Amino acid sequence: MFNLFKKKKEDNHIGDKYLSLKVREVIKETDDTVSIYFEQPEPFLEYKPGQYLTVILDIHGKEERRSYSLCTSPYLDPHPGITVKRVDKGLVSNYLNNQIRAGKSIEIMKPMGNFTCNFHSKNKKHFVMLAGGSGITPVISILKSVLINEPNSKVTLIYCNRSEDQIIFKKALEQLEEKYENRLMVIHNLSKPSSNWTGLKGRLDAAKLKNTLESIRYPELDQTMYFVCGPEGLMETAVATLEGMGIDSKSIIKESFYTDLDAKEEALKTAGKLAPELSREIDVVLEGETFHFEVPAGKTILEAGLDHDVDMPYSCQSGLCTACRGKLISGKVDMIEDAGLSASEIEQGYILCCSSKPASSDVKIIIE
Ligand code: FES
């Protein structure tokens, strides 16, 4: 049976990172996607457009965590919401699509994520947003926030799906385009559209993307920023095309939902870039308390911590979401995936415990 977390279990989580939210409304977006809106807690949930929250569920007696992007804008929408696309055989996404109803409470970790930006009413920017499938979720949150906060900025959204019925937020996007007719342009690209589709069709390859981008230019605006979120193939094409067009990587903000940690680890191992796998003792400082435990050979710091009942925060367990972020105070670690961290976070010594293994004997990490 599926059960939501019991209060006793919730109380086991340390600190103010956790919260219980009551579901206000569930809206079916497409056949395989729902948006779940929550009642505002007291005080209101603080988040930035484009961030995600982590849901924590007890399914078959096992704690399951997944992160889902917020589809709402804190500047506009009275109730925060997440959008969940059903993954084939995905335990949590299917549960959320099938079982969640208004009135239920869900334990969450408070919003996190770097796929966001700051807004200012004086900005004159062009936001080019590339989304695929459920990658639209954080993108629409940012898009709505730009339109309401920056009257002199413009937004172009290139949104890829397989077919018309897969387009999430289709109506909401049409309404926004109508409301902000000179400031928002939505370009749909469908890989398998119906025969009467008149928009872009087929795979969005580099040549098509380049042509599309070159056809939309606003020389009167001061700066162009690019936001990319979607399946791995689209992300790779988009980033390679943008960089190939000479766009500075600092202007390209990415959000990944997928990585293959095992393959990455294997590649690093083959390249001789990993320390020998040994059991090592480490210190983790969590909310001011120090935990000393052994990380057996082959385990990540997060896996070992959880095995020792240390209540370390986590969500994706793939090096993408940063929920498990800590600061390395001493020693060395091998970090297999750092996609969730910014270059400056890495420079400052931040690591992701879910994708890191100790590589020296004096590892000490502080998790704030
Ligand atoms: S749990 Fe998501 S980055 Fe580690």
Side-chain angles (χ1 to χ4, degrees):
M1 275 304 286
F2 292 98
N3 286 309
L4 289 177
F5 249 60
K6 306 237 168 22
K7 188 68 189 155
K8 188 167 169 291
K9 181 81 177 174
E10 282 175 27
D11 290 346
N12 287 340
H13 290 135
I14 304 171
D16 60 0
K17 285 191 169 75
Y18 300 92
L19 195 67
S20 184
L21 292 183
K22 191 170 179 190
V23 176
R24 176 188 169 86
E25 193 179 11
V26 180
I27 293 181
K28 198 166 171 63
E29 304 286 359
T30 66
D31 271 0
D32 61 3
T33 304
V34 290
S35 291
I36 300 169
Y37 291 88
F38 300 100
E39 299 288 1
Q40 277 287 8
E42 268 304 329
F44 278 19
L45 189 74
E46 269 185 43
Y47 65 98
K48 293 182 185 161
Q51 287 193 310
Y52 62 86
L53 49 83
T54 299
V55 302
I56 306 174
L57 300 167
D58 184 3
I59 301 178
H60 298 314
K62 187 165 172 275
E63 182 176 294
E64 302 287 348
R65 300 186 180 203
R66 299 289 186 278
S67 34
Y68 294 104
S69 295
L70 288 141
C71 57
T72 44
S73 164
Y75 302 106
L76 192 67
D77 297 301
H79 303 286
I82 56 173
T83 301
V84 182
K85 181 166 177 157
R86 198 187 287 278
V87 174
D88 188 30
K89 299 200 180 78
L91 193 60
V92 176
S93 64
N94 277 290
Y95 171 69
L96 291 170
N97 267 268
N98 297 341
Q99 309 283 331
I100 283 296
R101 304 276 179 271
K104 291 218 180 199
S105 289
I106 298 182
E107 191 189 359
I108 61 146
M109 281 175 75
K110 287 186 181 170
M112 284 178 275
N114 296 326
F115 189 70
T116 186
C117 65
N118 295 320
F119 305 95
H120 196 287
S121 59
K122 292 209 170 116
N123 282 350
K124 285 169 70 180
K125 292 186 186 175
H126 182 196
F127 289 79
V128 176
M129 320 197 90
L130 280 139
S134 60
I136 188 65
T137 310
V139 164
I140 199 169
S141 167
I142 298 169
L143 178 156
K144 289 190 281 190
S145 306
V146 174
L147 293 170
I148 194 145
N149 285 322
E150 300 196 354
N152 299 312
S153 292
K154 294 184 195 277
V155 181
T156 302
L157 167 67
I158 302 172
Y159 185 18
C160 299
N161 280 287
R162 202 180 56 210
S163 53
E164 287 96 321
D165 59 349
Q166 299 260 305
I167 300 173
I168 305 170
F169 305 127
K170 186 166 185 283
K171 194 140 192 243
L173 289 169
E174 281 166 10
Q175 286 168 347
L176 285 166
E177 249 188 319
E178 206 173 298
K179 180 166 176 190
Y180 299 100
E181 64 169 324
N182 295 316
R183 298 182 45 222
L184 171 65
M185 186 195 305
V186 179
I187 301 169
H188 290 285
N189 185 92
L190 299 180
S191 57
K192 291 202 171 113
S194 62
S195 54
N196 52 4
W197 176 255
T198 53
L200 292 180
K201 57 180 95 159
R203 220 173 74 81
L204 187 74
D205 58 17
K208 196 200 286 184
L209 179 57
K210 190 163 180 259
N211 280 343
T212 309
L213 292 171
E214 282 175 349
S215 68
I216 316 149
R217 293 206 187 264
Y218 297 110
E220 72 277 20
L221 300 181
D222 297 334
Q223 191 190 351
T224 305
M225 290 186 65
Y226 300 84
F227 287 78
V228 186
C229 183
E232 208 186 9
L234 174 78
M235 303 263 309
E236 281 172 7
T237 302
V239 173
T241 307
L242 293 171
E243 289 181 350
M245 290 170 73
I247 289 153
D248 185 346
S249 60
K250 286 200 193 97
S251 304
I252 308 170
I253 322 287
K254 299 167 279 187
E255 180 85 320
S256 293
F257 290 161
Y258 173 84
T259 189
D260 187 339
L261 270 191
D262 291 345
K264 289 205 168 162
E265 182 164 12
E266 207 41 55
L268 289 170
K269 208 181 270 176
T270 310
K273 292 191 173 159
L274 299 182
E277 282 204 349
L278 297 173
S279 289
R280 299 180 199 269
E281 300 202 349
I282 67 163
D283 284 319
V284 170
V285 183
L286 179 63
E287 308 269 332
E289 194 178 341
T290 302
F291 298 88
H292 183 83
F293 58 88
E294 184 183 88
V295 182
K299 288 226 172 191
T300 64
I301 290 166
L302 176 70
E303 284 166 341
L306 296 177
D307 286 349
H308 286 86
D309 287 332
V310 182
D311 188 24
M312 292 167 68
Y314 70 94
S315 178
C316 71
Q317 293 185 267
S318 311
L320 300 176
C321 75
T322 71
C324 64
R325 194 186 80 151
K327 194 165 190 179
L328 190 64
I329 300 304
S330 68
K332 284 187 191 157
V333 301
D334 283 331
M335 184 159 38
I336 313 298
E337 177 59 87
D338 60 10
L341 294 175
S342 64
S344 92
E345 284 176 309
I346 294 170
E347 244 166 57
Q348 291 169 57
Y350 284 102
I351 62 151
L352 299 171
C353 294
C354 72
S355 68
S356 298
K357 296 177 177 177
S360 69
S361 56
D362 52 347
V363 168
K364 183 171 184 178
I365 297 156
I366 293 185
I367 298 175
E368 285 146 355

